[in-house]
Amino acid sequence: MKELYFSGAGGLYPYLMGIGKFIQDNYNLDDIIFTGNSSSSYITMLLSLNIPFDTAYEEHGKIMKDISSCTFGPLYYYFDIAKKHLYDYFKNNTIDIKKIKNLYIQITNTKNSFNYNNWESIFINEWDNIEDLLNCMRSSSYIPIYGTSITNEFRGMKCI
């Protein structure tokens, strides 16, 4: 098996979506392991589940429309709005989360410390349900100004 790793994208997220679309449209991805962190966890999830990027663009447009109606734009609201749209997508498209074996998402466990030297990177590749997967992706990409707390809790860990 081969692995395709996408690192954090930040403001380059749309660019990496284009790269993901190109890869999806032009390569056989049957025996590939996809690993991502931060916003790239969304791109690797799309590739792993073979969700067309055109569909992702449409869903992303809905997220941006909702965010544009918020007083402070994405500040404080982004993660909750994105989760709502992703959850709705999965609710309407049957995907067995427990059968995903080729997706790894990197999270950073702060171990409840703001001393960077104590932080630990962990790769997650099993989820109990869609809520668990979406919270893992949120934990991987969590930036405090886009949420309502300093860290995001995932399976008892404080992540950032």
Side-chain angles (χ1 to χ4, degrees):
M1 286 201 131
K2 295 179 181 180
E3 179 178 18
L4 184 58
Y5 177 82
F6 281 81
S7 65
L12 297 177
Y13 177 74
Y15 176 75
L16 287 184
M17 282 189 76
I19 291 172
K21 179 174 175 30
F22 179 84
I23 290 169
Q24 188 179 64
D25 290 348
N26 293 286
Y27 293 95
N28 178 348
L29 302 177
D30 292 340
D31 293 324
I32 305 291
I33 292 172
F34 301 97
T35 303
N37 68 6
S38 193
S39 61
S40 292
S41 65
Y42 293 90
I43 294 167
T44 53
M45 187 250 333
L46 294 168
L47 289 167
S48 171
L49 297 175
N50 199 27
I51 296 171
F53 276 82
D54 290 338
T55 300
Y57 295 143
E58 289 174 25
E59 294 299 317
H60 194 69
K62 293 175 189 175
I63 292 169
M64 293 298 106
K65 184 178 178 185
D66 280 1
I67 286 173
S68 70
S69 69
C70 296
T71 303
F72 297 109
L75 298 180
Y76 313 114
Y77 305 106
Y78 178 79
F79 288 113
D80 291 334
I81 291 171
K83 180 182 175 182
K84 175 196 167 298
H85 284 278
L86 287 166
Y87 190 77
D88 288 347
Y89 174 83
F90 280 104
K91 186 172 65 175
N92 296 323
N93 296 277
T94 307
I95 296 171
D96 188 350
I97 299 301
K98 293 186 181 264
K99 289 188 177 180
I100 301 172
K101 298 298 178 204
N102 64 336
L103 175 62
Y104 289 77
I105 297 176
Q106 182 181 8
I107 63 172
T108 301
N109 178 7
T110 66
K111 296 185 178 179
N112 216 15
S113 166
F114 289 101
N115 179 347
Y116 180 81
N117 294 321
N118 292 335
W119 295 4
E120 169 186 42
S121 287
I122 301 167
F123 291 89
I124 308 293
N125 75 324
E126 292 181 2
W127 300 274
D128 298 328
N129 50 46
I130 186 60
E131 193 82 26
D132 195 38
L133 172 61
L134 294 178
N135 195 26
C136 181
M137 290 169 35
R138 176 181 174 141
S139 296
S140 179
S141 60
Y142 195 77
I143 299 171
I145 63 170
Y146 294 123
T148 55
S149 66
I150 298 297
T151 59
N152 188 69
E153 188 166 323
F154 176 70
R155 296 181 182 169
M157 295 178 279
K158 305 272 187 201
C159 301
I160 195 166

